[in-house]
Amino acid sequence: MGGNTTPSKKPLLTDPPFYLPEFERSYRYIIDEYDVEPKDIGIFLPCAMRKPYSTSPSHQLIRMVISQVFSDDQYHIIVFGTCGIVPSELEEMYPYAHYKYMLGKCKDQKVLDDFLRIETGRVAGYLAKTKGVYRYRIAYCLGIFREALIRGAEQAGVSIDLILPTRDIINKVIEEGECAFQEGSLSMDDYLGEFCEELVRFRNEHLKPE
């Protein structure tokens, strides 16, 4: 799919990516052709402005927490959001490293509704495809991305075992009200602290050494 063309040689896509045929074709490749390696845990993270996603400051913080709790062979990171849904090892494949769009700045309700509908379907498709690939599924997300993930899980009939941040921490951040976005950023200390604690708890409860 991605070929040998470097990111700099590809055009930068700036329209809402969930409408674009490039993203639908790449999604179909992942669903219809790509083999996902089985892991104990699938960890679902929202996409980021900086590409590739793993180079973004927020993803680096989140990945650092994950790597402190789980060994590399236990988990698989999946990125979702305006990009659709993509295994993290494919983050440099076209068009995932070749677009710039921020849904948080969108005020058009139709575009937001379309995103929720399209992304719900794509999440459901991936969860159905990987139903037997992961023993457990963990998500770390906020806002409309979180809503799409929850709806997609319901549509696919595949449960998300742990969704963070918890509502209590989200409400605390909203009440303090000092964020650019209502629910703040996933890289905030309150969220990351809870994320680490809950991952440790989950590991100790579900992945006990034999």
Side-chain angles (χ1 to χ4, degrees), residues 8-38:
S8 62
K9 299 289 181 66
K10 291 284 191 178
L12 184 66
L13 305 170
T14 56
D15 291 332
F18 39 91
Y19 290 131
L20 299 177
E22 294 93 334
F23 284 83
E24 178 61 21
R25 287 194 295 269
S26 296
Y27 169 72
R28 290 312 326 169
Y29 164 74
I30 290 166
I31 297 301
D32 298 333
E33 301 181 44
Y34 187 69
D35 289 329
V36 180
E37 182 181 354

Side-chain angles (χ1 to χ4, degrees), residues 169-187:
I169 296 295
I170 293 172
N171 289 341
K172 177 177 179 288
V173 168
I174 291 174
E175 287 170 8
E176 291 174 352
E178 298 178 355
C179 309
F181 299 102
Q182 184 185 24
E183 295 181 341
S185 164
L186 288 171
S187 59

Side-chain angles (χ1 to χ4, degrees), residues 52-146:
Y53 308 117
S54 60
T55 65
S56 76
S58 61
H59 271 240
Q60 289 180 347
L61 286 170
I62 295 165
R63 284 168 175 262
M64 181 178 68
V65 171
I66 294 170
S67 67
Q68 289 173 347
V69 179
F70 300 117
S71 60
D72 289 347
D73 63 349
Q74 289 181 308
Y75 69 91
H76 179 222
I77 291 175
I78 308 96
V79 179
F80 75 103
T82 55
C83 61
I85 188 160
V86 56
S88 61
E89 65 273 17
L90 300 182
E91 66 175 14
E92 294 190 43
M93 183 179 84
Y94 184 79
Y96 299 113
H98 307 81
Y99 72 100
K100 185 175 183 180
Y101 181 76
M102 181 176 273
L103 190 67
K105 292 184 177 180
C106 177
K107 304 299 182 184
D108 187 328
Q109 191 59 48
K110 182 183 184 305
V111 173
L112 295 172
D113 291 345
D114 285 349
F115 163 76
L116 188 55
R117 172 179 53 81
I118 295 168
E119 182 62 3
T120 293
R122 288 176 175 169
V123 166
Y126 185 85
L127 289 174
K129 172 188 172 73
T130 58
K131 189 172 184 177
V133 170
Y134 312 117
R135 291 174 60 195
Y136 305 104
R137 294 158 193 83
I138 295 173
Y140 187 53
C141 48
L142 294 167
I144 195 170
F145 286 12
R146 185 186 184 108

